[in-house]
Amino acid sequence: MTFDVEEVLSQLTVAQKAALLSGKDFWHTHPIPDLNVPSIRLSDGPNGIRGTRWFKGTPTATLPCGTALAATWDKPLLRHAGELLGNECIAKGAHCWLGPTINIQRSPLNGRGAEACSEDPYLTGVVARELILGCQSTGVVSTIKHFVCNDQEDGKRGLDAQVSQRALREIYLRPFQIAARDADPGALMTSYNRVNGIPTSENKELLQGVLRDEWKWDPLIMSDWYGLYSCLPALEAGLDLEMPGPTKFRGFEIELNSSLNMLRPSVLDARVRRVLQFIMKASSVPVSPVESQRNLPEDRELNRNLSAAGIVLLQNKIQTLPIPKRISKIALVGSHIHEAMASGMGSTAVEPYYTITPYQALMDKAPNGVEVQCEVGAYAHKFLPLLTDRLMKNAVIRFFNEPSTVASRVLIDKVPIVTSYFQLVDYTHEDLNSSLFYTSFQATFSPDETGEWTFGLAVYGTAILYIDDELLIDNSEDQTLGSTFFGCGTDEKFGKIQLVAGKDYELRVEFGSTSTMQILSPEAVNFGGGGARIGACRELPLDVLIERALGIASQADYTIICTGLSGKWEGGGNDCNTLSLPPHVDDMMFRVAAACPNTVVVNISGGPVAMQWASKIPAIIQACYGGGEGANGLMDVLFSDVNPSGKLPFSWLMDIKDTPAYLNFGSNDGRLFYGEDVYVGYRFYDRMERETMWSFGHGLSYTCFKLSSLRNIGEEAVDSRVPSAAKVLVRNTGSVAGAEVVQLYISHPPTRRFCAKKELYGFDKVFLGAGEEKEVSIDIDPYAMSVWDEAHGQWRREKGEYTIIACTSSDSRCKVRVEGSVGIESTTWW
Ligand code: BGC
């Protein structure tokens, strides 16, 4: 379909204009068929393309989470990741990708920290740029989100982020600015919160003033889902599209305000024109007419490379890693050995084509003849583990308009599923009353151990769980709000029962949709429909678990402990409240490490966690949620098929009290004060001379590198001798091939107060054979050395002598470094 934007605009009625300014449904814009204006499909999310269904979604490539992608520091690889996301959109019939997420990891407690990229705005901006360029090279429009200061989940809709203009410009707007400048994403999503008193969806200073007037960037601006709170102020501020539909603040409101002459026609037309331009551009993408799958070998290979490239080797004493080929026994211990931990939860959750658990990946990778033994050691689940085909079969959900108490109820739909989790946000059926319906989940449960089993039931709606028709858990009364289902669901309720291994039991859950729930969270984003999660575990006493783990670790040549967090601890709707790993994991670490000298800990989480045991463990690996291929990528690194080259995109602290946002994280009656100002992450630790456990940019390799001969280039090209790039020689001084990330930091003159000691303004990853040397040229961001001058309301670069540091970690003790300088002759503002 093609149409002329101005021609269509001139023919639209006010009602049609109003219709175009909000979604038709959860994932589509409004079509105007008479005028050839099609409907455009938008699709989540940052690390995989879900399509239009949360429930029984079309399987898709599941890429590593944001922090894992950022940890690659690999621009070409990220560009390919973006292409894959674009191609997955095309396969899912989606013209527009709702990603990437480029908020800042202001605190490691941020529930959606894993979805964002980094604590550093430059790294975040560059990661975004590459993903967007890749995605948009397929024609698919990218939507950067959430604009801006959506850096925590606690109370996020009612939150006022009180942030200085300087921190806003230098830290929080910067990734958006880099992405806009270098990649021109076609769309932007506003956030749920306010910034300095004004909701971002109606913040004219930001939307019109900064984005459109100052940056000369004119994306389609859409609201976050149910993140629009007004009609006129948002229209006047520049918010084009309300999502999702049907509308809550537009439609009739627009017609009314137009008829009362309260809404100026020029404002209405500006918004409609932008939506039409977006539809015009997006509709040229040749998307699949049906939601389809790709699952191509080359996509899987890319995904595996991405996973491996994002693995960070934090510590490797006495070269414990890589695991030698000639060993006979490996003990695999930990809560995560049978879970893939592909991605986070909430709007990042997708239905992966496939996933692989650490156990399966180890069995595939371990050299022939090596015996592998497994033990959990200590659980790390927040909610009891979901049931999958390991313990459950023939799972099916039946849909009804009447509750189970109505014997004659009529079956409307019957859908087989493979997990004991369902979220019915976007499930529809023509005969189903979507505002009040009931389901019956049924499955055969076959325990693998005899003894007492604990079942857990959390629900967004109401639910009752039966085993062989005996009521075990009633979560339809006395409900308590918890953190499930974006903060709309209940806490988990438990029931215990004695079961016999190998015997089949009938598991049944009678569920009522959202409107049957007694308590609704006033604050959470209410997506409707409802859902339930059923977990089960044969919970053994901790001592027994640890003893079993010690038994295998003490006999093994190598022990690999896989543990950490999951999308239940960190994820949309709730922040973490501690840096600690789940209870008892630390105890287990100390004891197992003492039993096996070659212990390798693999921590799986979106950000840093406290590791009191770190000094007792020879080798530690950080694996942020690695996507469908996560465990394969991990094994590639452990067994040296890939030399690790990932670098931390965040600083690693032991104690949450040492983090800059500590006193100002969480909703303080709706107030969120960005008290640390521009000193986010390493900018704070550097300035405070506070030691980190591992610094931003840290990551080891199985080889070593040396840097030399730093020189600035292109100084004449820009004003006042600002170099546009720096060149540096990098040598692989070790005996195996590997890759190093050369990081370029710039320091203000030492006498200057109120500045970070150094800031990242360039980086490049270089691949070198053993003994090989290469000169790399690293672009320097044009905003290097500048600060936002609040008095002038302008950028300022002050004259003085600046230090340029090329190094391999932001740690001031990092020895692989070379320094140079650059002199700025006069102060300039722009
Ligand atoms: C999230 C967005 C997401 C949208 C649609 C919102 O709650 O904040 O990131 O794109 O839902 O799922």
Side-chain angles (χ1 to χ4, degrees), residues 27 44 54 98 112 145-146 189 192 224-225 347 527:
W27 304 118
D44 273 327
W54 242 297
L98 301 175
R112 285 177 87 172
K145 64 189 188 182
H146 310 83
M189 187 190 291
Y192 286 117
D224 198 346
W225 269 229
S347 52
F527 275 24

Side-chain angles (χ1 to χ4, degrees), residues 500-564:
V500 176
K503 201 174 156 212
D504 284 350
Y505 296 87
E506 192 211 55
L507 173 63
R508 182 163 58 89
V509 172
E510 295 297 343
F511 162 84
S513 68
T514 354
S515 43
T516 64
M517 196 166 176
Q518 301 152 342
I519 35 163
L520 285 181
S521 160
E523 243 182 25
V525 187
N526 187 341
F527 275 24
R533 78 176 308 288
I534 304 137
C537 186
R538 163 104 175 91
E539 281 185 314
L540 291 169
L542 184 65
D543 279 352
V544 176
L545 291 176
I546 295 187
E547 283 308 322
R548 284 188 183 185
L550 289 178
I552 62 167
S554 57
Q555 303 295 314
D557 302 308
Y558 264 75
T559 296
I560 306 171
I561 305 181
C562 279
T563 189

